[in-house]
Structures are given as structure tokens and as C-alpha cells.
Amino acid sequence: MNVNKVYLLDQGKISADLAWFLPTPMTEEEMRNPKPRSWTDVSVMSAVIEHKDGIILFDTGISEKVKEKWPQIALSVFPVTKFSDENRMENQLRQIGLKPEDIHFIVFSHLHLDHTGNLDLFRSAKPAVIVHEKELKYSLLNVWLNKPVPYLLKDLEILREMNVVPMSTDYLELLPGVDLYLFGGHTPGSIMLKVRTQNDNNYIFTGDFIHLPDELDFESKGWLLGNAEEYYTRIRLLKALMKLPRTNVIITHDPKLWDKYPKAPKELK
């Protein structure tokens, strides 16, 4: 394989009501005697894939200016609970000897605001930006209709100035050993990234098709479920892929992500 190194970039943590991720219906008893809702801190991460034919960035995380960029409702529903100078995209890249202009491809799992936060850093370099055309259409339609969805018009406007390459198929081999799959489920254009390293290890990056590892047991999602038919069928496909030898699944928002995998500048093997 031509994938030389894979790095996970730590871009802080956000917090959210657990019901966004897992179905937690209220019981009749709880209606009479309400209990506090359960909140959890989840990771925010991006990934860098160093390939002999180019450097790929998977998602761009959240911006240091998140409190200025995000609407108040987003900050209330998904407050940022950990973000320091160390978590800034430039500093995460610097740890592995890279600058924004070194990136050849940006692949977006989808275009929600916690995945597109640092687009402006790459505006001048204009890397090829891979995003599914279903995601482009859906995000633009919802912003145009002024729907209360987690897409930022400011980020979508930056995309207009960049070298956007819409993915129109269910599968794309971006580079040898780097595969993209349309999964949907969360948003219509949600894609997964599969990487095969030179050590013959497979890493599947789920984006937000899966938010928490518990979903793999429940085979169900909470309020962030977009399309149930896509989700219920393709989670079975994901679990089948997970059974392949030397395959690891990396869930962007896994609360215990950093207990399982090393942060940059350490690399995945």
C-alpha cells in the first residue's frame, strides 16, 4: 500500500445530551418524577493521511473562533468543554511537520459545523475538497430555507472559493489504499473513509454515521438519526467490514477515543 502514515489530530471536546446519540425515551415513572438528563463529553478530531501521492486531511474540526462563529443555540446544545491553543488546527499540523498549504486533499465526512471549522485556513492553498454532492445539495437547501440545522453559511460560502470536487457515486477510490463510501444515515451525504496502511492495517473513519461505540450494540441512534432505512441497513454493512482481518474503527466523537488510539505526533501503525 502507498499510505505511509496516519495521524489523529486532537481538536478538543464538546458536550451534549446523550439522547442526541442514543435512544433514551422517558418512562411513565420519569414523567412523574423527572430525573436529570444525562450529558457526555465527546471528542472532536481530524485525521491526516500521508500517502506517496499526496496528503489528505479528513474533516477540519472546530475553529478557535467557535464562540464567534457558532450561533448561540449551537453553543447551548453542544457547548465546547475543552479547547486550548494546543488544539488549534495549525498547531496540530505543526506537530507532524505540516502547514495548511501542505494539504493536497480535504475529505469531508459531512458539512456540519463541528467538521468544517477551519476551512478558512486552507482558502489560499485551494486543495481539492471532496464532499458528496448529496451533502452539498442538502446543506445548501437547508441554509437557503433558514432551517435550524448545524450548517454554517460562512463555511459554505468559503467552499465557493475553493476547489470543490463533488463525489457523485456510492464509492470512490481517492488514491490507492484510500477509499470513500457513501453511508448516509446521519445526513444524506455522510461518507466513511477507509485507509489501508503499508503494514496492512485497515482503519475505518466513521464520521458521524456512528457517534458513540454503544450504537454498534444498539444498532440505533438518537435525535441525530437522519434516515432510518440507510442507518439500519448500513450499520450491518459496517459491522461486516469490521470483521475483516486487521481492521480498526475510529469514531470521531468517541468519548474514549484517546484511550484507544494515539494522538499526533504519534502515528497509527
Coordinates of all heavy atoms in Angstrom, one line a residue, residues 141-225:
L141 N -29.6 23.6 0.6 CA -31.1 23.8 0.7 C -31.5 24.2 2.1 O -32.4 25.1 2.2 CB -31.7 22.4 0.3 CG -33.3 22.4 0.5 CD1 -33.9 23.3 -0.5 CD2 -33.8 20.9 0.2
N142 N -31.0 23.5 3.1 CA -31.4 23.9 4.5 C -31.0 25.3 4.9 O -31.7 26.0 5.6 CB -30.8 22.8 5.4 CG -31.6 21.6 5.5 OD1 -32.6 21.5 6.2 ND2 -31.3 20.6 4.6
V143 N -29.8 25.7 4.5 CA -29.4 27.1 4.8 C -30.3 28.1 4.1 O -30.7 29.1 4.6 CB -27.9 27.3 4.4 CG1 -27.5 28.7 4.5 CG2 -27.0 26.5 5.4
W144 N -30.6 27.8 2.8 CA -31.4 28.7 2.0 C -32.8 28.8 2.6 O -33.4 29.9 2.6 CB -31.5 28.1 0.6 CG -32.3 28.9 -0.4 CD1 -33.6 28.7 -0.7 CD2 -32.0 30.2 -1.0 NE1 -34.1 29.7 -1.6 CE2 -33.1 30.6 -1.8 CE3 -30.8 30.9 -1.0 CZ2 -33.0 31.8 -2.5 CZ3 -30.8 32.1 -1.8 CH2 -31.9 32.5 -2.5
L145 N -33.3 27.7 3.1 CA -34.7 27.7 3.7 C -34.6 28.2 5.2 O -35.7 28.2 5.8 CB -35.3 26.3 3.7 CG -35.6 25.8 2.2 CD1 -36.1 24.4 2.3 CD2 -36.6 26.7 1.5
N146 N -33.4 28.5 5.7 CA -33.3 29.0 7.0 C -33.7 28.0 8.1 O -34.3 28.4 9.1 CB -34.0 30.4 7.2 CG -33.5 31.1 8.4 OD1 -32.3 31.1 8.7 ND2 -34.3 31.9 9.0
K147 N -33.4 26.8 7.8 CA -33.8 25.7 8.8 C -32.8 25.7 10.0 O -31.6 26.0 9.8 CB -33.8 24.3 8.1 CG -34.8 24.2 7.0 CD -36.2 24.2 7.6 CE -37.3 24.0 6.5 NZ -38.7 24.0 7.1
P148 N -33.3 25.3 11.1 CA -32.4 25.2 12.3 C -31.5 24.0 12.3 O -31.7 23.1 13.1 CB -33.4 25.2 13.5 CG -34.6 24.5 12.9 CD -34.7 24.9 11.5
V149 N -30.6 23.9 11.4 CA -29.7 22.8 11.2 C -28.2 23.2 11.5 O -27.9 24.4 11.3 CB -29.8 22.1 9.9 CG1 -31.1 21.4 9.7 CG2 -29.6 23.1 8.7
P150 N -27.3 22.3 11.8 CA -26.0 22.7 12.2 C -25.0 22.8 11.0 O -24.0 22.3 10.9 CB -25.5 21.5 13.1 CG -26.3 20.3 12.6 CD -27.6 20.9 12.2
Y151 N -25.5 23.6 10.0 CA -24.6 24.0 8.9 C -24.4 25.5 9.0 O -25.3 26.3 9.4 CB -25.3 23.7 7.6 CG -25.5 22.3 7.2 CD1 -26.8 21.7 7.2 CD2 -24.4 21.5 6.9 CE1 -27.0 20.4 6.9 CE2 -24.6 20.1 6.6 CZ -25.9 19.6 6.6 OH -26.1 18.3 6.3
L152 N -23.2 25.9 8.8 CA -22.8 27.4 8.8 C -22.7 28.0 7.4 O -21.9 27.5 6.6 CB -21.5 27.6 9.6 CG -21.5 27.5 11.1 CD1 -20.1 27.8 11.6 CD2 -22.6 28.3 11.7
L153 N -23.5 29.0 7.2 CA -23.4 29.7 5.9 C -22.0 30.2 5.6 O -21.5 30.1 4.5 CB -24.4 30.8 5.8 CG -24.4 31.6 4.5 CD1 -24.7 30.8 3.3 CD2 -25.5 32.8 4.7
K154 N -21.3 30.7 6.7 CA -20.0 31.2 6.5 C -19.0 30.1 5.9 O -18.2 30.4 5.1 CB -19.4 31.7 7.8 CG -20.1 33.0 8.3 CD -19.5 33.4 9.6 CE -20.3 34.6 10.2 NZ -19.7 35.0 11.5
D155 N -19.2 28.9 6.4 CA -18.3 27.8 5.9 C -18.7 27.4 4.5 O -17.8 27.1 3.7 CB -18.4 26.6 6.8 CG -17.7 26.9 8.2 OD1 -16.8 27.8 8.2 OD2 -17.9 26.1 9.1
L156 N -20.0 27.4 4.2 CA -20.4 27.0 2.9 C -20.0 28.1 1.8 O -19.7 27.7 0.7 CB -21.9 26.8 2.8 CG -22.5 25.7 3.7 CD1 -24.0 25.6 3.6 CD2 -21.8 24.4 3.4
E157 N -20.0 29.3 2.3 CA -19.5 30.4 1.4 C -18.0 30.3 1.0 O -17.6 30.5 -0.1 CB -19.8 31.7 2.0 CG -21.3 32.1 1.9 CD -21.6 33.4 2.6 OE1 -20.8 33.8 3.5 OE2 -22.6 34.0 2.3
I158 N -17.2 29.8 2.0 CA -15.8 29.6 1.8 C -15.6 28.5 0.7 O -14.7 28.6 -0.1 CB -15.1 29.2 3.1 CG1 -15.1 30.4 4.1 CG2 -13.6 28.8 2.8 CD1 -14.5 30.1 5.4
L159 N -16.5 27.5 0.8 CA -16.4 26.4 -0.2 C -16.5 26.9 -1.6 O -15.9 26.4 -2.5 CB -17.5 25.3 0.1 CG -17.2 24.3 1.2 CD1 -18.4 23.4 1.3 CD2 -16.0 23.5 0.9
R160 N -17.3 28.0 -1.8 CA -17.4 28.5 -3.2 C -16.1 29.0 -3.7 O -15.9 29.1 -5.0 CB -18.4 29.7 -3.1 CG -19.8 29.3 -2.8 CD -20.7 30.5 -2.8 NE -20.8 31.1 -4.1 CZ -21.4 32.3 -4.3 NH1 -21.9 33.0 -3.4 NH2 -21.4 32.8 -5.6
E161 N -15.2 29.4 -2.9 CA -13.9 29.9 -3.3 C -12.8 28.8 -3.5 O -11.7 29.1 -3.8 CB -13.4 31.0 -2.3 CG -14.3 32.1 -2.1 CD -13.8 33.0 -1.0 OE1 -12.6 33.1 -0.9 OE2 -14.7 33.6 -0.3
M162 N -13.2 27.6 -3.2 CA -12.2 26.5 -3.1 C -12.4 25.5 -4.3 O -13.4 25.6 -5.0 CB -12.3 25.8 -1.8 CG -12.0 26.8 -0.6 SD -11.8 26.0 1.0 CE -10.2 25.2 0.8
N163 N -11.5 24.6 -4.4 CA -11.5 23.6 -5.5 C -12.4 22.4 -5.1 O -11.8 21.4 -4.7 CB -10.1 23.2 -5.8 CG -10.0 22.2 -6.9 OD1 -11.0 22.0 -7.7 ND2 -9.0 21.4 -6.9
V164 N -13.7 22.6 -5.1 CA -14.6 21.5 -4.6 C -14.8 20.5 -5.7 O -15.0 20.8 -6.9 CB -16.0 22.1 -4.3 CG1 -17.0 21.0 -3.9 CG2 -15.8 23.1 -3.1
V165 N -14.6 19.2 -5.3 CA -14.8 18.1 -6.2 C -15.9 17.3 -5.7 O -15.7 16.5 -4.8 CB -13.5 17.2 -6.3 CG1 -13.7 16.1 -7.3 CG2 -12.3 18.1 -6.7
P166 N -17.1 17.4 -6.2 CA -18.3 16.7 -5.7 C -18.1 15.2 -6.0 O -17.8 14.8 -7.1 CB -19.5 17.3 -6.4 CG -19.0 18.6 -7.0 CD -17.5 18.4 -7.2
M167 N -18.4 14.4 -5.0 CA -18.4 12.9 -5.2 C -19.8 12.6 -5.5 O -20.8 12.9 -4.8 CB -18.0 12.2 -3.9 CG -18.0 10.7 -3.9 SD -17.5 10.1 -2.3 CE -18.1 8.4 -2.4
S168 N -20.0 11.9 -6.6 CA -21.4 11.6 -7.1 C -21.8 10.1 -7.1 O -22.9 9.8 -7.4 CB -21.5 12.1 -8.6 OG -20.6 11.5 -9.4
T169 N -20.8 9.3 -6.6 CA -21.1 7.9 -6.6 C -21.1 7.4 -5.2 O -20.8 8.1 -4.2 CB -19.9 7.1 -7.4 OG1 -18.7 7.5 -6.8 CG2 -19.9 7.5 -8.8
D170 N -21.5 6.1 -5.0 CA -21.5 5.5 -3.7 C -20.1 5.1 -3.2 O -19.9 4.8 -2.0 CB -22.4 4.2 -3.7 CG -23.9 4.6 -3.8 OD1 -24.2 5.8 -3.8 OD2 -24.7 3.7 -4.0
Y171 N -19.2 5.0 -4.1 CA -17.8 4.6 -3.8 C -16.8 5.3 -4.7 O -17.1 5.6 -5.8 CB -17.6 3.1 -4.0 CG -16.2 2.6 -4.0 CD1 -15.5 2.4 -2.8 CD2 -15.5 2.4 -5.2 CE1 -14.2 2.1 -2.8 CE2 -14.2 2.0 -5.2 CZ -13.5 1.8 -4.0 OH -12.2 1.4 -4.0
L172 N -15.7 5.7 -4.0 CA -14.6 6.4 -4.8 C -13.3 6.0 -4.2 O -13.1 6.1 -3.0 CB -14.8 7.9 -4.6 CG -13.6 8.8 -5.2 CD1 -13.6 8.6 -6.8 CD2 -13.8 10.2 -4.8
E173 N -12.4 5.5 -5.1 CA -11.0 5.2 -4.6 C -10.3 6.6 -4.9 O -10.0 6.9 -6.0 CB -10.3 4.1 -5.4 CG -8.9 3.9 -5.0 CD -8.2 2.8 -5.8 OE1 -8.2 3.0 -7.1 OE2 -7.6 1.9 -5.3
L174 N -10.0 7.3 -3.8 CA -9.4 8.6 -4.0 C -7.9 8.4 -4.4 O -7.5 9.1 -5.3 CB -9.5 9.4 -2.6 CG -8.8 10.8 -2.6 CD1 -9.5 11.7 -3.7 CD2 -9.0 11.4 -1.2
L175 N -7.2 7.6 -3.7 CA -5.8 7.2 -4.0 C -5.7 5.7 -3.7 O -6.5 5.2 -2.9 CB -4.8 8.0 -3.2 CG -4.7 9.5 -3.5 CD1 -3.8 10.2 -2.5 CD2 -4.3 9.8 -4.9
P176 N -4.7 5.0 -4.2 CA -4.6 3.6 -3.9 C -4.5 3.4 -2.4 O -3.7 4.0 -1.7 CB -3.3 3.2 -4.6 CG -3.2 4.1 -5.7 CD -3.8 5.4 -5.3
G177 N -5.4 2.6 -1.8 CA -5.4 2.3 -0.4 C -6.3 3.3 0.4 O -6.4 3.2 1.6
V178 N -6.9 4.3 -0.3 CA -7.8 5.3 0.4 C -9.1 5.3 -0.3 O -9.3 5.7 -1.5 CB -7.2 6.7 0.3 CG1 -8.1 7.7 1.0 CG2 -5.8 6.7 0.9
D179 N -10.1 4.7 0.4 CA -11.5 4.5 -0.2 C -12.5 5.3 0.5 O -12.5 5.4 1.7 CB -11.8 3.0 -0.2 CG -10.8 2.1 -0.9 OD1 -10.4 2.5 -2.0 OD2 -10.4 1.1 -0.3
L180 N -13.5 5.9 -0.3 CA -14.6 6.6 0.3 C -15.9 5.9 0.0 O -16.1 5.4 -1.2 CB -14.6 8.0 -0.3 CG -13.4 8.9 -0.2 CD1 -13.6 10.2 -0.9 CD2 -12.9 9.0 1.2
Y181 N -16.8 5.8 1.0 CA -18.1 5.1 0.8 C -19.2 6.0 1.3 O -19.1 6.6 2.4 CB -18.1 3.9 1.7 CG -17.1 2.8 1.4 CD1 -15.8 2.9 1.9 CD2 -17.4 1.8 0.5 CE1 -14.9 1.9 1.7 CE2 -16.4 0.8 0.2 CZ -15.2 0.9 0.8 OH -14.2 -0.1 0.5
L182 N -20.2 6.2 0.5 CA -21.4 6.9 0.9 C -22.2 6.0 1.8 O -22.6 4.9 1.5 CB -22.3 7.3 -0.3 CG -23.6 7.9 0.0 CD1 -23.5 9.2 0.7 CD2 -24.5 8.0 -1.3
F183 N -22.5 6.5 3.0 CA -23.3 5.7 4.0 C -24.6 6.4 4.4 O -25.6 5.7 4.7 CB -22.5 5.5 5.3 CG -21.8 4.1 5.3 CD1 -20.9 3.7 4.4 CD2 -22.1 3.2 6.3 CE1 -20.3 2.5 4.4 CE2 -21.5 1.9 6.4 CZ -20.6 1.6 5.4
G184 N -24.6 7.7 4.3 CA -25.9 8.4 4.7 C -26.2 8.2 6.1 O -25.3 8.1 7.0
G185 N -27.5 8.0 6.4 CA -27.9 7.7 7.8 C -28.0 8.9 8.7 O -29.1 9.2 9.2
H186 N -26.9 9.6 8.8 CA -26.9 10.8 9.7 C -27.3 12.0 8.9 O -28.3 12.7 9.2 CB -25.5 11.0 10.2 CG -25.3 12.3 11.0 ND1 -26.1 12.6 12.1 CD2 -24.3 13.3 10.9 CE1 -25.7 13.8 12.6 NE2 -24.6 14.2 11.9
T187 N -26.6 12.3 7.8 CA -27.0 13.3 6.8 C -27.0 12.6 5.4 O -26.4 11.5 5.3 CB -26.1 14.5 6.7 OG1 -24.8 14.1 6.2 CG2 -25.9 15.2 8.1
P188 N -27.7 13.1 4.4 CA -27.8 12.3 3.1 C -26.4 12.1 2.5 O -26.2 11.1 1.8 CB -28.6 13.3 2.2 CG -29.5 14.0 3.2 CD -28.6 14.3 4.4
G189 N -25.5 13.0 2.7 CA -24.2 12.8 2.1 C -23.0 12.4 3.0 O -21.9 12.6 2.7
S190 N -23.4 11.7 4.1 CA -22.4 11.3 5.1 C -21.5 10.2 4.4 O -22.1 9.2 4.0 CB -23.0 10.8 6.4 OG -23.5 11.9 7.1
I191 N -20.2 10.3 4.5 CA -19.3 9.3 3.9 C -18.4 8.8 5.0 O -18.1 9.4 5.9 CB -18.5 9.8 2.7 CG1 -17.6 11.0 3.0 CG2 -19.5 10.2 1.6 CD1 -16.8 11.5 1.9
M192 N -17.9 7.6 4.7 CA -16.8 7.0 5.5 C -15.5 6.9 4.7 O -15.6 6.8 3.5 CB -17.2 5.6 6.0 CG -18.3 5.6 7.1 SD -18.4 3.9 7.8 CE -19.8 4.1 8.8
L193 N -14.4 7.0 5.4 CA -13.1 6.8 4.8 C -12.5 5.6 5.3 O -12.5 5.3 6.5 CB -12.3 8.0 5.3 CG -10.8 8.0 4.9 CD1 -10.5 8.1 3.5 CD2 -10.0 9.1 5.7
K194 N -11.9 4.8 4.4 CA -11.2 3.5 4.8 C -9.8 3.7 4.2 O -9.6 4.0 3.1 CB -11.9 2.3 4.2 CG -11.2 1.0 4.5 CD -12.1 -0.2 3.9 CE -11.3 -1.5 4.1 NZ -10.2 -1.6 3.2
V195 N -8.8 3.4 5.1 CA -7.4 3.5 4.8 C -6.7 2.2 5.1 O -7.0 1.6 6.1 CB -6.8 4.6 5.6 CG1 -5.3 4.7 5.4 CG2 -7.4 6.0 5.3
R196 N -5.9 1.8 4.1 CA -5.1 0.6 4.3 C -3.6 1.0 4.3 O -3.1 1.5 3.4 CB -5.3 -0.5 3.2 CG -4.7 -1.8 3.5 CD -5.1 -2.8 2.4 NE -4.5 -4.2 2.7 CZ -5.1 -5.1 3.5 NH1 -6.2 -4.8 4.1 NH2 -4.5 -6.2 3.6
T197 N -3.0 0.7 5.5 CA -1.6 1.2 5.6 C -0.6 0.2 5.0 O -0.9 -0.9 4.7 CB -1.3 1.4 7.1 OG1 -1.2 0.1 7.8 CG2 -2.3 2.3 7.8
Q198 N 0.6 0.7 5.0 CA 1.7 -0.2 4.5 C 2.0 -1.4 5.3 O 2.6 -2.4 4.9 CB 3.0 0.6 4.3 CG 3.5 1.2 5.6 CD 4.7 2.2 5.4 OE1 5.2 2.3 4.3 NE2 5.2 2.8 6.4
N199 N 1.5 -1.4 6.6 CA 1.5 -2.6 7.4 C 0.3 -3.5 7.3 O 0.1 -4.4 8.1 CB 1.7 -2.1 8.9 CG 3.0 -1.4 9.2 OD1 4.0 -1.7 8.6 ND2 2.9 -0.4 10.0
D200 N -0.5 -3.2 6.3 CA -1.7 -4.0 6.0 C -2.7 -3.9 7.1 O -3.5 -4.8 7.4 CB -1.4 -5.5 5.8 CG -0.7 -5.7 4.4 OD1 -1.0 -4.9 3.5 OD2 0.1 -6.6 4.2
N201 N -2.8 -2.8 7.8 CA -3.8 -2.5 8.8 C -4.9 -1.6 8.1 O -4.6 -0.7 7.3 CB -3.3 -1.7 10.0 CG -2.4 -2.6 10.9 OD1 -2.7 -3.8 11.1 ND2 -1.3 -2.1 11.4
N202 N -6.1 -1.9 8.4 CA -7.3 -1.1 7.9 C -7.8 -0.2 9.0 O -8.1 -0.7 10.1 CB -8.4 -2.1 7.4 CG -8.0 -2.9 6.2 OD1 -7.5 -2.4 5.2 ND2 -8.1 -4.2 6.3
Y203 N -8.1 1.0 8.6 CA -8.7 2.0 9.6 C -9.9 2.5 8.9 O -9.9 3.1 7.8 CB -7.8 3.1 10.0 CG -6.6 2.6 10.8 CD1 -5.4 2.3 10.3 CD2 -6.8 2.4 12.2 CE1 -4.3 1.8 11.1 CE2 -5.8 2.0 13.0 CZ -4.5 1.7 12.4 OH -3.5 1.2 13.2
I204 N -11.1 2.4 9.5 CA -12.3 2.9 9.0 C -12.7 4.1 9.9 O -12.9 4.0 11.1 CB -13.5 1.9 9.0 CG1 -13.1 0.7 8.2 CG2 -14.8 2.5 8.6 CD1 -14.1 -0.5 8.3
F205 N -12.8 5.3 9.2 CA -13.2 6.5 9.9 C -14.7 6.7 9.6 O -15.2 7.0 8.5 CB -12.4 7.7 9.4 CG -11.0 7.7 9.7 CD1 -10.1 6.9 9.0 CD2 -10.5 8.3 10.8 CE1 -8.7 6.9 9.3 CE2 -9.1 8.3 11.2 CZ -8.3 7.5 10.4
T206 N -15.5 6.7 10.7 CA -17.0 6.6 10.5 C -17.6 8.0 10.3 O -18.8 8.1 10.0 CB -17.7 6.0 11.8 OG1 -17.5 6.8 12.9 CG2 -17.1 4.6 12.1
G207 N -16.9 9.1 10.6 CA -17.5 10.4 10.6 C -18.6 10.3 11.7 O -18.5 9.7 12.7
D208 N -19.8 10.9 11.3 CA -20.9 10.9 12.3 C -22.0 9.9 12.0 O -23.1 9.9 12.5 CB -21.5 12.3 12.4 CG -20.7 13.2 13.3 OD1 -19.6 12.8 13.6 OD2 -21.1 14.4 13.5
F209 N -21.7 9.0 11.0 CA -22.6 7.8 10.9 C -22.8 7.1 12.2 O -23.8 6.7 12.6 CB -22.1 6.9 9.8 CG -23.0 5.7 9.6 CD1 -24.2 5.8 8.8 CD2 -22.7 4.5 10.1 CE1 -25.0 4.8 8.6 CE2 -23.6 3.4 9.9 CZ -24.7 3.5 9.2
I210 N -21.6 7.0 12.9 CA -21.6 6.5 14.2 C -21.1 7.6 15.1 O -20.0 8.1 14.9 CB -20.7 5.2 14.4 CG1 -21.3 4.1 13.5 CG2 -20.7 4.8 15.8 CD1 -22.5 3.5 14.0
H211 N -21.8 7.9 16.2 CA -21.3 8.9 17.1 C -20.6 8.3 18.4 O -19.6 8.7 18.8 CB -22.4 9.8 17.6 CG -22.8 10.9 16.6 ND1 -23.8 10.7 15.7 CD2 -22.4 12.2 16.5 CE1 -23.9 11.8 15.0 NE2 -23.1 12.7 15.4
L212 N -21.2 7.2 18.9 CA -20.7 6.5 20.1 C -20.6 5.0 19.8 O -21.4 4.5 19.1 CB -21.7 6.7 21.2 CG -22.0 8.2 21.7 CD1 -22.9 8.1 22.9 CD2 -20.7 8.9 22.0
P213 N -19.6 4.4 20.4 CA -19.4 2.9 20.2 C -20.7 2.1 20.6 O -21.0 1.1 20.0 CB -18.2 2.6 21.0 CG -17.5 3.9 21.1 CD -18.5 5.0 21.2
D214 N -21.4 2.6 21.5 CA -22.6 1.9 22.0 C -23.7 1.7 20.9 O -24.5 0.8 20.9 CB -23.3 2.7 23.2 CG -22.5 2.6 24.4 OD1 -21.6 1.8 24.5 OD2 -22.8 3.3 25.4
E215 N -23.6 2.6 19.9 CA -24.5 2.4 18.8 C -24.3 1.1 18.0 O -25.3 0.6 17.5 CB -24.4 3.6 17.8 CG -24.8 4.9 18.2 CD -24.6 6.0 17.2 OE1 -24.8 5.7 16.0 OE2 -24.1 7.1 17.5
L216 N -23.1 0.6 18.1 CA -22.8 -0.7 17.4 C -23.6 -1.8 18.0 O -23.9 -2.8 17.4 CB -21.3 -0.9 17.3 CG -20.5 0.1 16.5 CD1 -19.0 -0.1 16.8 CD2 -20.9 -0.1 15.0
D217 N -23.8 -1.7 19.3 CA -24.6 -2.7 20.1 C -26.1 -2.5 19.9 O -26.9 -3.4 19.6 CB -24.2 -2.7 21.5 CG -22.8 -3.1 21.8 OD1 -22.3 -4.0 21.0 OD2 -22.1 -2.6 22.7
F218 N -26.5 -1.2 20.0 CA -27.9 -0.9 19.9 C -28.4 -1.0 18.5 O -29.6 -1.3 18.3 CB -28.2 0.6 20.4 CG -28.3 0.8 21.9 CD1 -27.1 1.1 22.6 CD2 -29.5 0.7 22.5 CE1 -27.2 1.2 24.0 CE2 -29.6 0.8 23.9 CZ -28.4 1.1 24.6
E219 N -27.5 -0.8 17.5 CA -27.9 -0.6 16.1 C -29.0 0.4 16.0 O -30.0 0.2 15.3 CB -28.3 -2.0 15.5 CG -27.1 -2.9 15.4 CD -27.4 -4.1 14.5 OE1 -28.5 -4.2 13.9 OE2 -26.5 -5.0 14.4
S220 N -28.9 1.5 16.7 CA -29.9 2.5 16.7 C -29.2 3.8 17.1 O -28.2 3.8 17.7 CB -31.0 2.2 17.7 OG -32.1 3.1 17.5
K221 N -29.9 4.9 16.8 CA -29.3 6.3 17.0 C -30.4 7.1 17.6 O -31.6 6.9 17.4 CB -28.8 6.9 15.7 CG -28.1 8.2 15.9 CD -27.6 8.8 14.6 CE -26.4 8.1 14.0 NZ -25.2 8.4 14.8
G222 N -30.0 8.2 18.4 CA -31.0 9.1 19.0 C -31.5 10.2 18.0 O -31.8 9.9 16.9
W223 N -31.5 11.4 18.5 CA -32.1 12.5 17.8 C -31.3 12.9 16.5 O -31.8 13.5 15.6 CB -32.2 13.8 18.7 CG -33.0 13.6 19.9 CD1 -34.1 12.8 20.0 CD2 -32.8 14.2 21.2 NE1 -34.7 12.9 21.3 CE2 -33.9 13.8 22.0 CE3 -31.9 15.1 21.7 CZ2 -34.0 14.2 23.3 CZ3 -32.0 15.5 23.0 CH2 -33.0 15.1 23.8
L224 N -30.1 12.4 16.4 CA -29.2 12.7 15.3 C -29.4 11.7 14.1 O -28.7 11.8 13.1 CB -27.8 12.8 15.7 CG -27.4 14.0 16.5 CD1 -26.0 13.9 17.0 CD2 -27.6 15.3 15.8
L225 N -30.4 10.8 14.2 CA -30.7 9.9 13.1 C -31.4 10.7 12.0 O -32.3 11.5 12.2 CB -31.7 8.8 13.6 CG -32.2 7.9 12.6 CD1 -31.0 7.0 12.0 CD2 -33.3 7.0 13.1

